[in-house]
Amino acid sequence: MKFFVDTADLQEIQDLAATGLLDGVTTNPSLVAKTGRPFLDLVAEICEVVEGPVSAEVTATDFETMLAEGQKLAKISPKIAVKVPLTPAGLKVCKQLSADGTMVNVTLCFSAAQAILAAKAGAAFISPFVGRLDDVGTDGMGLIADICQIYSRYPSFTTEVLVASVRHPMHLIASAKLGAHVATMPPNVIRLLFGHPLTDKGLAQFMADWQKTGQTILS
Ligand code: E4P
């Protein structure tokens, strides 16, 4: 399972990339706005920091402008996955960019029917937003289960399920159980995955007992 971080904060991306466990980055216009940085420069810098795909979203809604924006973003680096909204025009852009060899991440997916359309349009990634569905009283993880099941029945669908709008570690665990290919998580959720009070307690005990032996391994 691949881990992407869902942020446009370069410092956070650098810190998490240093763990060696980060496979990519997703950004969106709201996350970019928070940084106050010029978008194209920021995306280029993010591509320098991580090995894997970096999602950069178009900001128009009509086909021609979205396509031109996507083509411009794709030129920044082969790591770019152009993010397009799940609209008829967005799917048309997806089909064209994918045919040209550019990775496309279709975002704002809230139904299995939409996910089928994205796969048919050749998307590299489909981004169902589990947290936002939970927020409105709908079962976000149920959608992931449906999409994973549907995609697994059609070997010609190569689209990866990228679980988005992840709010807590339970979303990640449930996604992994369902076999989702990728989860994109905010930095705080990734950090939460590492911790357990029994790990801290156990380590403190081991260190205290080891000190009593008076030994060192490296001398
Ligand atoms: C995904 O690509 C989106 O950027 C993101 O996961 C949205 O998450 P939110 O619902 O917490 O804003």
Side-chain angles (χ1 to χ4, degrees):
M1 185 182 203
K2 285 175 271 192
F3 280 14
F4 291 178
V5 65
D6 193 34
T7 185
D9 183 321
L10 196 61
Q11 185 61 57
E12 290 276 31
I13 294 167
Q14 281 165 336
D15 288 353
L16 289 163
T19 65
L21 299 174
L22 193 62
D23 301 298
V25 175
T26 52
T27 66
N28 64 38
S30 306
L31 293 170
V32 171
K34 267 195 220 167
T35 70
R37 296 278 321 276
F39 181 36
L40 301 182
D41 293 350
L42 178 61
V43 168
E45 287 170 42
I46 294 173
C47 288
E48 297 291 316
V49 175
V50 287
E51 292 288 321
V54 174
S55 288
E57 190 158 341
V58 298
T59 56
T61 53
D62 65 287
F63 171 73
E64 285 78 15
T65 319
M66 266 197 279
L67 181 62
E69 288 181 351
Q71 287 165 336
K72 183 167 180 177
L73 291 169
K75 282 201 188 102
I76 294 173
S77 161
K79 293 178 186 174
I80 292 290
V82 174
K83 219 170 168 187
V84 301
L86 210 154
T87 61
L91 291 174
K92 205 170 150 191
V93 172
C94 173
K95 187 147 192 188
Q96 181 150 343
L97 289 177
S98 303
D100 294 343
T102 295
M103 286 184 287
V104 177
N105 176 357
V106 178
T107 190
L108 292 167
C109 171
F110 294 96
S111 81
Q114 290 180 318
I116 294 169
L117 292 173
K120 284 180 69 63
F125 303 103
I126 181 67
S127 290
F129 279 33
V130 292
R132 292 193 195 186
L133 279 171
D134 290 354
D135 289 347
V136 296
T138 306
D139 178 14
M141 291 317 305
L143 175 59
I144 303 302
D146 285 348
I147 298 172
C148 288
Q149 185 192 5
I150 292 165
Y151 280 11
S152 72
R153 296 184 75 112
Y154 294 91
S156 63
F157 284 177
T158 54
T159 306
E160 297 195 2
V161 180
L162 194 174
V163 182
S165 188
V166 167
R167 300 278 164 78
H168 46 68
M170 290 309 293
H171 275 150
L172 182 269
I173 294 164
S175 302
K177 281 181 170 176
L178 292 167
H181 305 87
V182 193
T184 190
M185 296 166 275
N188 68 306
V189 173
I190 296 182
R191 293 202 175 91
L192 282 172
L193 302 177
F194 288 87
H196 195 285
L198 290 178
T199 304
D200 299 340
K201 189 178 170 199
L203 184 60
Q205 185 68 58
F206 286 158
M207 294 302 99
D209 291 342
W210 177 248
Q211 276 223 308
K212 289 180 208 154
T213 71
Q215 299 179 54
T216 59
I217 291 174
L218 291 181
S219 59

